[in-house]
Amino acid sequence: MAKKTETSKRLSRDELNDRDRRTLRHLLALADDVVKAAETGRDPAIDIPSRTLSNVRYNKSKRFIEMGAAKNRRQLFNLNQAKSYMQTILVASGAEKLISQGKTTSLRGMYYLLKHTIEGAREETFSDQEESDSVIEDLEVAIEVLREELHLYAKNAGAMVGQITLIDSGDTIDCTRMGSGGYSIPSIVEPEVVQFKKCDAEFVLHVEKDTVWRRFNEDKFWRKHNCILTHGGGQPPRGVRRLLYRLHNELKLPVYCLLDNDPWGYYIYSVIKQGSINLAYESKRMAIPDARYLGLRSKDFVECELSDSVKISLNDTDRKRARQIMEYPWFAHKKPWQKEIKQLLDNGFKLEVEALISKDISYVTEEYTPQRLREGDWLD
Amino acid sequence: MAKKTETSKRLSRDELNDRDRRTLRHLLALADDVVKAAETGRDPAIDIPSRTLSNVRYNKSKRFIEMGAAKNRRQLFNLNQAKSYMQTILVASGAEKLISQGKTTSLRGMYYLLKHTIEGAREETFSDQEESDSVIEDLEVAIEVLREELHLYAKNAGAMVGQITLIDSGDTIDCTRMGSGGYSIPSIVEPEVVQFKKCDAEFVLHVEKDTVWRRFNEDKFWRKHNCILTHGGGQPPRGVRRLLYRLHNELKLPVYCLLDNDPWGYYIYSVIKQGSINLAYESKRMAIPDARYLGLRSKDFVECELSDSVKISLNDTDRKRARQIMEYPWFAHKKPWQKEIKQLLDNGFKLEVEALISKDISYVTEEYTPQRLREGDWLD
């Protein structure tokens, strides 16, 4: 078999898009700092914003979670920090390589790309993928770019269908004609990759799970109600959140969330709305403070006259999580949310969206959701 | 909120497709048997082919795993069997309802559809989803239909891109123009749902993981090599296996598999090729005895001149699994396979496809795979 070859060509500056040029500028600035430090006799160092709970806060006026100003300095000439300093520079050079060649890879791919035994030593650059993943997150916050802008993607999860036509990597995607599987939402949905071409939808309905999404798709809900239908396979990955954000902000579409009546459903809504603690530095590009919670609600067991068979008892973890979520600053001062979560605890059981099928296969698409939308019956 | 309503209409016989009519016939025959038994004074009973390891065997002439003839009788008037008898009839009636309304649902949806407290008793029809899932599998083997033909689907997993145009639920899907995410392979790909319209591809390349698939898609491998590119998100779900089967048998396309060099990769290949023990009754619709194993191979560490950094040590489970797979009847008599697995054990390490990125980002698409295809260097 052939020896190691560098078959991949670097793109010229003109072949790069604006965003890639911007990311490259940030990466090169990092390298320039090393040179500058050397020239002025200072120790090379990188300042990494601290990704701890204590450095995260809820911004009341912006209505989302954001990072504070705390930073950790990572120095080359410090025995405790030298390795992580070099790992950070290594990840930056890997990202530079990907962008310059116009290629993308997975977190695992990046790990393999950078993993090697350091010459003249027995030290490995990274001992496992966890280590490189963490350094990638450091780099994201240090130079304020999304992982996707470093040309790193996660697994596709989530699908979209409905009254919108978009361009993805040059291909025109008419989301009214995507068969039973829908448009698979990629993890990179930045405007350079995905452009909105035409949109007749009036709102976005985001559901938690693939299985519920299929019910809505099969019943052509999006056609009858002139909307876009998305799901995120549970907790929506970044690509789905970023796409919802863009649909909401660029196309001015309201976003309604149909999630399970349990702490996990509340949490998914909370992340879509206010961002997450882990990804606080990305809230400004992902959080949708005006997203609405359509259901399921704690009142639904009685209102929809459901049978006892569909109840799922709350366990201790559920109760604990529910109480924590009640105290989130964006729920704490909202009476309807306090009432909602209190009633969940009083009920003592949770409900999945699928439970509505016990009334009728299409009850959720033909009665529940249309009625809630018509009556403006949601939480926000 | 509205009361329980039966909003869903039943389709007329003419509105059903041939396959649905056939499935309905089987379901109704089951119901007729009950009536007949009553009329002739016999105990109503259903014979369910036994889904145990002892009732599965490798058919050498067909070259796949199939079920034997052993059956278990499930009787209504037998205290130990009455509940499972009634559950079987209940699942059959749920499937009949779905098919008659032209709707599909998930396994979880079916569970909710059928779960209720039996009138006049405190007994629940199903205590958990595991119970209904198992009865669904019973019904599949009893009346010889695929779960998908009962209108039950699993989560979508797997994607396809390349030189093929198909019709999915009436929508034309040109798989050369599906953006970065590709066509999301649905779990129901029977000819009534998915039709092949036009195919210019010369072969199918099936890769294990989403992340590897993306590398091939990004490098437009399918365009350069005139093929179809699929992945199954690890162990391919039924929809993906069934689609590969149809591509292979209806369009006469050879299927090449690019999987990790580890027991799990071998096992995935084995399932694609010979079927699985769990789903032995579906082998005849899914197994592809002529599928080829392109790599990764145990010889690749040396042949591709990989570095020690990419080795992942075999653990005890790996070793045990490898030895089991060596003894599978379809590998046991094949010298190249014995050599392959023995070398894995001798190496003492496994290799992921992603490891090839350590040579060059596109090494796998531009050198490894084309060379193997050119030289006919694969196992079968």
Side-chain angles (χ1 to χ4, degrees):
Chain A
M1 196 115 226
K3 288 200 187 172
K4 172 147 185 161
T5 46
E6 286 282 347
T7 47
S8 312
K9 281 176 219 148
R10 295 175 77 88
L11 300 175
S12 72
R13 236 190 101 77
D14 292 345
E15 288 173 290
L16 294 171
N17 64 42
D18 289 346
R19 191 162 299 246
D20 285 343
R21 271 199 287 263
R22 177 183 158 273
T23 311
L24 274 185
R25 260 203 314 277
H26 286 298
L27 288 168
L28 294 177
L30 206 66
D32 286 343
D33 283 346
V34 181
V35 179
K36 255 184 252 166
E39 284 175 354
T40 56
R42 278 182 294 113
D43 283 0
I46 309 170
D47 289 328
I48 313 263
S50 162
R51 290 183 289 114
T52 55
L53 186 57
S54 60
N55 193 34
V56 159
R57 62 150 191 258
Y58 178 60
N59 183 320
K60 272 194 187 170
S61 66
K62 292 181 189 161
R63 295 185 296 150
F64 58 65
I65 300 174
E66 61 177 15
M67 283 190 97
K71 291 190 178 189
N72 296 318
R73 174 153 289 207
R74 202 166 277 181
Q75 289 177 300
L76 174 58
F77 298 123
N78 177 321
L79 265 185
N80 290 324
Q81 298 167 10
K83 182 165 183 179
S84 67
Y85 176 90
M86 289 193 288
Q87 286 175 329
T88 313
I89 298 291
L90 199 58
V91 166
S93 89
E96 192 272 344
K97 193 171 175 181
L98 286 171
I99 297 170
S100 301
Q101 296 188 4
K103 298 191 175 184
T104 66
T105 192
S106 61
L107 295 175
R108 187 131 194 94
M110 185 61 133
Y111 167 66
Y112 274 119
L113 188 64
L114 302 179
K115 187 177 165 79
H116 63 267
T117 312
I118 293 163
E119 237 181 292
R122 286 204 197 153
E123 194 77 25
E124 292 279 315
T125 49
F126 296 97
S127 55
D128 55 32
Q129 192 192 324
E130 230 170 274
E131 228 180 333
S132 58
D133 286 358
S134 169
V135 173
I136 289 164
E137 291 203 355
D138 287 343
L139 187 64
E140 287 187 77
V141 292
I143 64 172
E144 280 192 65
V145 298
L146 293 175
R147 187 166 74 198
E148 289 72 17
E149 292 174 309
L150 298 172
H151 281 215
L152 294 167
Y153 52 76
K155 221 175 107 177
N156 277 12
M160 175 160 90
V161 75
Q163 308 284 14
I164 187 168
T165 299
L166 42 85
I167 317 271
D168 174 344
S169 315
D171 297 335
T172 301
I173 310 280
D174 177 351
C175 290
T176 65
R177 300 177 170 279
M178 292 299 287
S180 50
Y183 168 64
S184 166
I185 302 175
S187 68
I188 305 182
V189 295
E190 297 308 307
E192 286 74 21
V193 179
V194 175
Q195 296 103 39
F196 302 137
K197 191 179 170 190
K198 179 168 174 281
C199 176
D200 297 322
E202 288 162 18
F203 64 93
V204 179
L205 179 69
H206 178 78
V207 304
E208 187 168 334
K209 281 167 281 191
D210 166 79
T211 47
V212 174
W213 183 90
R214 279 182 159 265
R215 175 79 270 123
F216 279 87
N217 189 27
E218 202 169 280
D219 290 343
K220 294 276 182 275
F221 182 90
W222 48 269
R223 196 185 296 277
K224 287 179 208 156
H225 294 273
N226 213 22
C227 71
I228 292 169
L229 180 67
T230 59
H231 80 82
Q235 177 70 56
R238 296 167 181 220
V240 174
R241 286 180 57 202
R242 179 79 176 132
L243 188 65
L244 288 175
Y245 176 96
R246 291 191 57 207
L247 291 169
H248 179 74
N249 287 284
E250 295 172 31
L251 303 180
K252 308 298 169 206
L253 302 179
V255 173
Y256 300 92
C257 301
L258 183 65
L259 310 164
D260 288 345
N261 173 231
D262 62 18
W264 183 239
Y266 298 154
Y267 181 70
I268 291 176
Y269 173 67
S270 172
V271 167
I272 291 174
K273 192 177 180 70
Q274 257 80 34
S276 73
I277 289 161
N278 275 338
L279 294 179
Y281 57 100
E282 294 186 351
S283 291
K284 61 178 177 291
R285 306 218 219 174
M286 290 192 182
I288 308 169
D290 287 322
R292 290 156 179 171
Y293 185 88
L294 194 78
L296 295 191
R297 306 265 296 273
S298 299
K299 63 176 185 163
D300 286 337
F301 180 77
V302 173
E303 269 198 21
C304 303
E305 298 177 338
L306 297 173
S307 75
D308 284 340
S309 298
V310 302
K311 290 179 180 176
I312 303 173
S313 297
L314 293 179
N315 59 34
D316 288 346
T317 315
D318 290 330
R319 268 182 259 271
K320 199 179 141 200
R321 288 290 292 136
R323 287 197 198 96
Q324 282 170 346
I325 291 170
M326 255 180 128
E327 285 165 22
Y328 282 175
W330 47 97
F331 287 145
H333 67 283
K334 282 186 182 159
K335 276 196 185 154
W337 268 106
Q338 293 297 308
K339 193 179 154 196
E340 165 67 28
I341 302 176
K342 192 176 172 301
Q343 194 175 349
L344 177 89
L345 288 164
D346 290 346
N347 283 347
F349 59 81
K350 47 191 179 179
L351 293 173
E352 293 181 306
V353 177
E354 286 98 327
L356 297 179
I357 204 177
S358 65
K359 295 200 62 89
D360 183 71
I361 299 170
S362 294
Y363 178 80
V364 67
T365 62
E366 293 176 1
E367 299 209 26
Y368 184 90
T369 306
Q371 180 172 345
R372 295 291 161 103
L373 287 170
R374 207 166 46 236
E375 296 175 0
D377 187 8
W378 55 70
L379 298 175
D380 56 18
Chain B
M1 197 114 227
K3 289 201 186 172
K4 173 150 184 158
T5 46
E6 286 282 348
T7 47
S8 313
K9 280 176 220 149
R10 295 174 76 87
L11 301 175
S12 72
R13 235 188 102 76
D14 293 344
E15 288 173 289
L16 294 172
N17 64 42
D18 288 346
R19 191 161 299 246
D20 284 343
R21 272 199 287 262
R22 177 183 156 273
T23 312
L24 274 184
R25 261 202 316 276
H26 286 299
L27 289 168
L28 294 177
L30 206 67
D32 286 344
D33 283 347
V34 182
V35 179
K36 257 185 251 166
E39 285 176 353
T40 57
R42 280 182 294 114
D43 281 0
I46 310 170
D47 289 329
I48 312 264
S50 163
R51 289 183 290 114
T52 56
L53 186 56
S54 61
N55 193 34
V56 160
R57 62 150 191 258
Y58 178 60
N59 183 319
K60 272 193 186 171
S61 66
K62 292 181 189 162
R63 295 185 296 150
F64 58 66
I65 300 173
E66 61 175 18
M67 284 190 98
K71 291 189 177 190
N72 297 318
R73 174 151 291 205
R74 203 165 274 180
Q75 290 178 301
L76 175 58
F77 297 124
N78 176 322
L79 264 185
N80 290 323
Q81 298 167 9
K83 183 165 183 181
S84 67
Y85 176 91
M86 288 193 289
Q87 286 175 330
T88 313
I89 298 291
L90 199 58
V91 167
S93 90
E96 191 272 343
K97 192 171 175 180
L98 286 171
I99 297 170
S100 301
Q101 295 187 5
K103 299 192 174 182
T104 66
T105 192
S106 60
L107 294 175
R108 187 130 193 95
M110 185 62 134
Y111 167 67
Y112 274 119
L113 188 64
L114 301 179
K115 187 175 164 79
H116 63 267
T117 312
I118 293 165
E119 237 181 293
R122 288 209 196 148
E123 194 76 27
E124 292 279 315
T125 49
F126 297 97
S127 55
D128 55 33
Q129 192 192 325
E130 229 170 275
E131 228 179 334
S132 58
D133 285 358
S134 168
V135 173
I136 288 164
E137 291 203 354
D138 286 343
L139 187 63
E140 287 187 78
V141 292
I143 64 172
E144 280 192 64
V145 298
L146 293 175
R147 187 166 74 198
E148 289 71 18
E149 292 174 308
L150 298 172
H151 282 215
L152 294 167
Y153 52 76
K155 220 175 108 177
N156 277 12
M160 175 160 89
V161 76
Q163 307 284 15
I164 187 168
T165 299
L166 41 85
I167 317 270
D168 174 345
S169 315
D171 297 334
T172 300
I173 311 280
D174 178 350
C175 291
T176 65
R177 300 176 170 280
M178 293 299 286
S180 50
Y183 168 64
S184 166
I185 302 176
S187 69
I188 305 181
V189 294
E190 297 309 307
E192 286 74 19
V193 179
V194 176
Q195 296 103 40
F196 302 136
K197 191 179 170 191
K198 180 169 174 282
C199 177
D200 297 321
E202 288 161 19
F203 64 93
V204 179
L205 180 68
H206 177 78
V207 303
E208 188 168 333
K209 281 167 280 189
D210 168 79
T211 47
V212 174
W213 183 91
R214 279 180 158 267
R215 175 79 271 124
F216 279 88
N217 189 26
E218 202 169 280
D219 290 344
K220 294 277 182 274
F221 181 90
W222 47 269
R223 196 185 296 277
K224 287 179 207 155
H225 295 271
N226 211 22
C227 71
I228 292 169
L229 180 66
T230 59
H231 79 83
Q235 177 69 57
R238 296 165 181 222
V240 174
R241 287 180 57 201
R242 180 79 175 132
L243 188 64
L244 288 175
Y245 176 95
R246 291 191 57 209
L247 292 169
H248 179 73
N249 287 284
E250 295 173 30
L251 304 180
K252 308 299 170 205
L253 301 179
V255 173
Y256 300 92
C257 302
L258 184 65
L259 311 163
D260 289 344
N261 173 232
D262 62 18
W264 182 239
Y266 298 153
Y267 181 70
I268 290 176
Y269 173 67
S270 172
V271 167
I272 291 175
K273 191 176 181 70
Q274 257 80 35
S276 72
I277 289 161
N278 275 337
L279 294 179
Y281 57 100
E282 293 185 353
S283 291
K284 60 177 178 291
R285 304 218 219 176
M286 289 192 182
I288 309 169
D290 287 321
R292 289 156 179 171
Y293 184 87
L294 194 78
L296 297 191
R297 306 263 296 275
S298 299
K299 62 174 185 164
D300 285 338
F301 180 77
V302 173
E303 269 198 21
C304 303
E305 299 177 338
L306 297 173
S307 74
D308 284 340
S309 299
V310 302
K311 290 178 179 175
I312 303 173
S313 295
L314 293 178
N315 58 33
D316 289 346
T317 315
D318 290 330
R319 269 182 258 272
K320 197 180 143 200
R321 288 291 290 135
R323 287 195 199 99
Q324 282 171 345
I325 291 170
M326 257 180 128
E327 285 164 23
Y328 281 176
W330 47 96
F331 288 145
H333 67 286
K334 283 186 181 157
K335 276 198 184 150
W337 268 105
Q338 293 297 307
K339 193 181 154 196
E340 165 67 26
I341 303 176
K342 191 178 170 301
Q343 193 175 348
L344 177 88
L345 289 164
D346 290 347
N347 283 347
F349 59 81
K350 45 192 179 179
L351 293 173
E352 293 181 306
V353 177
E354 286 98 326
L356 298 179
I357 205 176
S358 65
K359 296 201 59 89
D360 183 70
I361 300 170
S362 294
Y363 179 80
V364 68
T365 62
E366 293 175 1
E367 300 208 26
Y368 184 90
T369 306
Q371 179 171 346
R372 296 291 161 106
L373 288 170
R374 208 165 46 234
E375 298 175 358
D377 187 9
W378 55 70
L379 297 175
D380 56 19

